[in-house]
Amino acid sequence: MNLRQATTLCVALSICALLVVPTNFPGLSGDARLTLAIFAIATCAWIGTPIDDTYIALGAGLALTATGVISSDELFGTLGDDTVWLLICAFVLAAAVARTGLAGRAAAFLVGGARTVRQLVHLTTAALVVTAFAVPATSGRAALAMPVFLALAKALAGRTRLVVMLALLFPTVILLSAVATLIGAGAHLITVSVLWEAAGERIGFTEWLLIGLPLAVVSSHLAAEAVLFTTTKRADRKGEVHITAEEIQEHSDKPVTGPWEPAETRCALLLATVVALWCSEPLHRVPPAVVALIGAVVAASPALGTVRLKDALKTVPWSLLLFMAATMAMGVALADSGAAKYLVGGIPLDLPPWAFLSVVVVVSTLAHLVLQSRSARSSVLVPLVVAAAVGAGVNPVAAALASTAAAGFCHTLPASAKPVTLFAEIPGVPTYTPRDLLRLSAVLAPMTAALVLFFAVAVWPLLGVPLR
C-alpha cells in the first residue's frame, strides 16, 4: 500500500468513526450517517485506489440498498432512466456514422480549405465542436478524430511544433466543447438526474443546447488560441499550410471525396433529422430518448441502416452506464436522507450569487487534480452544490450547470482525462509533454473558470437561467 492509498484509507475510516458516535453531529439521522459513511468510503476509494470506478460505485449503491437507505427499486430504476437510454441510442447512432466515413469527408472539406496556421486551428476547432452532436462521450470523439490528426501530422511532418500544437489542440477542444450537448459527457446526464431528484428541475436536450452551445463555441476557440500561443513561435504561425484530400484519404478506408455513396446519404439525413428533432423538442414534445431510440432502430435496420445492431451495441460503454446508474442512486440517497443538506448546513451561505458561483467554479475547476473521472466529479460535487445553492438562495440549475461546465477543464496532467492520455502517446508522431500541459493549464484554467463564471452571471440569465 502506497502513501496515497494509506492516507485516503485513514481519512475514510476517521470519517466513519466520527459518524458512528451518536453524540457527534446532532440532528443527523441514521440514514444520513450511513449515507455519508458510504459516500466518504466511495470518494476516498475513487481518489486513492486503482480499483475500477464502476466497481466502487456499484459497491456503494449495493451498500446503500442493503442498509435500507434506498430501496432496490430506486437502485435498479436508475438503469431505466431516460437519460441512460438516450446515451445508449446515441452510441448506436455514432457507430452508424463511424461506419460510413462521413467524418473523413467532413475533415477533408473543412481542413482542406485552410491556408494559414490560424485558419487550420480554427477550422479544426469548429469541426471538433460539431462532433459533439454526432458522437457521445469525449473518449469516443477522441477515437473518431485520431485518423484526422494522423493525416494532419503526416502533412506537417517537417514542422514539429505545429504537430505538437495539433496534438494538444484535439483533446483540449474535445473536452471543452463537450458542454455543447446533453450527450457530450456522462457527467451531464448525472447532473440532469441530480437536479431532477434533488430540486425538481428538469433540463431537456434543447435547454442544455441553448445554454451549453454558446459556451462551448467561445471556450473552444479561445482555448485554440491559447494552445497556439503556448506551443508555437511567431515563425511557426506565419508559414502557410496546404492539406490535400489525398493526404487525409491515406488514413481513411472510406472515400473522402467524390460522389456520396447511398449509405452515406442515408446516414447523413438520419443524423440531421435526429438532431433537428432533438433541437425542436418544445414544438413536438417527443422526449429526446424516444427520438434517439427511433434513430437507433433506423440506423440498425436491415433496409435503411448502415450498421448491425449487435455491432453497434458493442461500442456502447456499458461500464459507464452502470457507473452513471449507481452514482444516480448515490445522489438520491444524499438528497432523500438529508445528508447533503446537513453537509452544507454549516457553510456560510450569506454570499452574493456571483461570489457563491465563484467558489463553485473554482472548486469544480480544480477537482480534476483529486478525482480524475469526470463523472465521479459530478457525482460528488453536484449533489452538494445543489443543496448549497438552495440554502444560499441561488438557482440550483445555474449552480449545477456552472459546476459541470467548469469540471470540463481537466488538462493539467496526461492522466487527467482519456482524450489527453490518448493523444499524449502516439507511436511515431511527436506529441506534447507534461511540461506542455502545465504551460497550457496555467493559461487555460483561469481563462476557463472566468468564462464559465461570466456566462453564469451575465449570459445564462438572458437564456432563461437566472441567478436566483
Side-chain angles (χ1 to χ4, degrees), residues 289-354:
V290 175
V291 172
L293 181 57
I294 295 171
V297 169
V298 174
S301 64
L304 300 175
T306 59
V307 64
R308 293 189 302 175
L309 183 60
K310 67 176 184 179
D311 294 331
L313 290 176
K314 290 178 182 177
T315 68
V316 177
W318 298 104
S319 179
L320 172 62
L321 295 177
L322 289 173
F323 178 87
M324 286 172 47
T327 51
M328 285 177 188
M330 293 172 65
V332 171
L334 280 170
D336 291 352
S337 68
K341 185 177 181 180
Y342 187 90
L343 276 179
V344 301
I347 301 175
L349 298 176
D350 53 341
L351 298 173
W354 67 267

Side-chain angles (χ1 to χ4, degrees), residues 32-363:
R33 290 175 185 270
L34 284 170
T35 300
L36 288 178
I38 294 168
F39 192 76
I41 293 172
T43 302
C44 289
W46 280 328
I47 294 172
T49 70
I51 302 173
D52 183 77
D53 290 343
T54 301
Y55 187 85
I56 294 169
L58 289 174
L62 181 60
L64 290 168
T65 305
T67 54
V69 177
I70 60 174
S71 67
S72 59
D73 288 341
E74 288 175 310
L75 175 64
F76 296 126
T78 54
L79 276 173
D81 191 273
D82 57 353
T83 55
V84 173
W85 278 94
L86 173 63
L87 196 60
I88 292 173
C89 297
F91 269 99
V92 174
L93 285 167
V97 172
R99 187 67 63 93
T100 61
L102 284 174
R105 284 189 182 274
F109 174 75
L110 285 172
V111 178
R115 292 297 176 265
T116 66
V117 173
R118 180 165 275 105
Q119 285 180 353
L120 175 64
V121 166
H122 286 284
L123 286 173
T124 301
T125 298
L128 290 172
V129 172
V130 171
T131 61
F133 294 90
V135 182
T138 53
S139 55
R141 292 168 63 203
L144 182 70
M146 180 59 74
V148 178
F149 166 72
L150 291 175
L152 296 178
K154 184 174 181 180
L156 300 170
R159 304 164 74 176
T160 303
R161 275 195 290 268
L162 289 186
V163 176
V164 172
M165 179 272 294
L166 287 173
L168 194 51
L169 176 71
F170 272 71
T172 297
V173 175
I174 286 170
L175 290 168
L176 293 181
S177 63
V179 73
T181 70
L182 182 59
I183 61 173
H188 301 170
L189 306 181
I190 292 173
T191 298
V192 168
S193 175
V194 171
L195 277 171
W196 173 245
E197 295 290 345
E201 300 280 357
R202 182 168 299 276
I203 300 178
F205 187 94
T206 307
E207 291 83 1
W208 191 290
L209 182 69
L210 182 65
I211 296 165
L213 182 58
L215 175 60
V217 171
V218 175
S219 63
S220 295
H221 284 280
L222 286 178
E225 286 292 330
V227 171
L228 188 60
F229 277 97
T230 56
T231 57
T232 62
K233 297 180 179 180
R234 182 176 296 180
D236 300 317
R237 298 189 290 270
K238 281 186 175 180
E240 292 187 356
V241 296
H242 182 62
I243 311 297
T244 65
E246 289 73 18
E247 289 168 323
I248 295 178
Q249 181 69 73
E250 292 178 9
H251 293 271
S252 175
D253 56 354
K254 301 288 184 179
V256 298
T257 57
W260 283 36
E261 296 180 357
E264 292 177 307
T265 303
R266 293 197 306 269
C267 189
L269 289 174
L270 174 62
L271 183 62
T273 302
V274 168
V275 173
L277 289 173
W278 278 340
C279 296
S280 59
E281 179 193 356
L283 298 177
H284 53 70
R285 299 294 180 184
V286 180
V290 175
V291 172
L293 181 57
I294 295 171
V297 169
V298 174
S301 64
L304 300 175
T306 59
V307 64
R308 293 189 302 175
L309 183 60
K310 67 176 184 179
D311 294 331
L313 290 176
K314 290 178 182 177
T315 68
V316 177
W318 298 104
S319 179
L320 172 62
L321 295 177
L322 289 173
F323 178 87
M324 286 172 47
T327 51
M328 285 177 188
M330 293 172 65
V332 171
L334 280 170
D336 291 352
S337 68
K341 185 177 181 180
Y342 187 90
L343 276 179
V344 301
I347 301 175
L349 298 176
D350 53 341
L351 298 173
W354 67 267
F356 176 84
L357 288 176
S358 297
V359 174
V360 168
V361 168
V362 170
V363 171

